Amino acid sequence: PSALLEQAESSKVPVLQTDALSSTIITKVTSHLQELLAPTSTVHGVMMELFGVGVLLLGESGIGKSECALDLILRGHRLISDDLVILKKYGPGSLVGSGTRDAQPHMELRGLGIINLTQLFGVSVLSPEKAIDLVIQLKRWRKEEEYDRLGLEEKSYRSLDVDLPLITMPVAPGRNLATLVEVAVRIQMLKKRGYNPAREAIESLEGRLTKGFVAQGDGTT
């Protein structure tokens, strides 16, 4: 209506016109605004999708993130971004990781240079984006540092006011990072279902120790 257009013009409010159904255009505009206005951050790392789980690999430059990602790709998993990961917050407890469209097919490997993954392995090795379910921090092995050997310690990685499960994984010669990452993802999948293998092992051991003490005890404290 002309009255609406006059008011919009005087108030400097844009008016959009479309032949699409109201429900369709509202959904599209809402999705576009959510993408455009979502809080965003960037991190130096590698984003992968393993068994449907979004995994963010972090660590200092040269520690082997890209090499680990390449090994995971050869095992059938998919890359979302190498080197630069864009984090977007779409909800109160959800972060989505993605990469830039131009850089996504490329990966830098020391000694080989820049490779094009789609040319080598096909487009199926790439995924556009994925919600982050697990963060794995790669750190160089140091004898003086203590590492979690039982798997009971719960850590978190915080970004954009969202806390994500964090595993700190020491890197040393002879350790197969790709295998360890796969196992870490499988454990995280079990934890989501309410099963913690480390806690079960400790409880089983404590139960056997208690039974052994009762069986061998003489009734005195």
Side-chain angles (χ1 to χ4, degrees), residues 16-120:
L16 306 179
Q17 182 176 350
T18 177
D19 294 330
L21 293 174
S22 297
S23 57
T24 301
I25 195 62
I26 288 174
T27 300
K28 289 185 176 181
V29 170
T30 302
S31 177
H32 177 70
L33 290 176
Q34 184 182 33
E35 172 76 18
L36 192 65
L37 302 177
T40 304
S41 178
T42 57
V43 294
H44 174 68
V46 174
M47 182 75 190
M48 297 286 302
E49 180 183 347
L50 287 80
F51 311 117
V53 176
V55 181
L56 177 62
L57 298 176
L58 301 177
E60 62 184 77
S61 180
I63 201 168
K65 299 184 296 297
S66 296
E67 288 80 0
C68 177
L70 181 60
D71 200 352
L72 291 169
I73 289 172
L74 294 175
R75 296 175 182 222
H77 305 295
R78 300 202 292 173
L79 175 75
I80 295 170
S81 181
D82 177 61
D83 191 48
L84 181 66
V85 181
I86 302 173
L87 307 180
K88 288 190 176 183
K89 180 181 177 181
Y90 289 126
S94 175
L95 283 185
V96 173
S98 62
T100 59
R101 183 175 301 178
D102 295 334
Q104 190 189 28
H106 300 95
M107 175 180 287
E108 179 190 354
L109 298 171
R110 285 172 171 78
L112 294 178
I114 298 177
I115 63 173
N116 188 309
L117 296 172
T118 56
Q119 293 294 329
L120 289 173

Side-chain angles (χ1 to χ4, degrees), residues 158-205:
R158 189 172 182 83
S159 179
L160 297 174
D161 296 325
V162 176
D163 291 320
L164 301 169
L166 171 67
I167 293 177
T168 300
M169 188 174 296
V171 177
R175 305 197 87 200
N176 191 316
L177 285 181
T179 298
L180 294 175
V181 169
E182 281 188 332
V183 172
V185 171
R186 292 179 184 273
I187 292 174
Q188 182 63 23
M189 294 168 66
L190 290 175
K191 288 182 177 179
K192 275 195 169 184
R193 299 175 185 173
Y195 173 75
N196 190 318
R199 187 171 290 111
E200 181 192 53
I202 295 299
E203 291 175 354
S204 175
L205 178 60

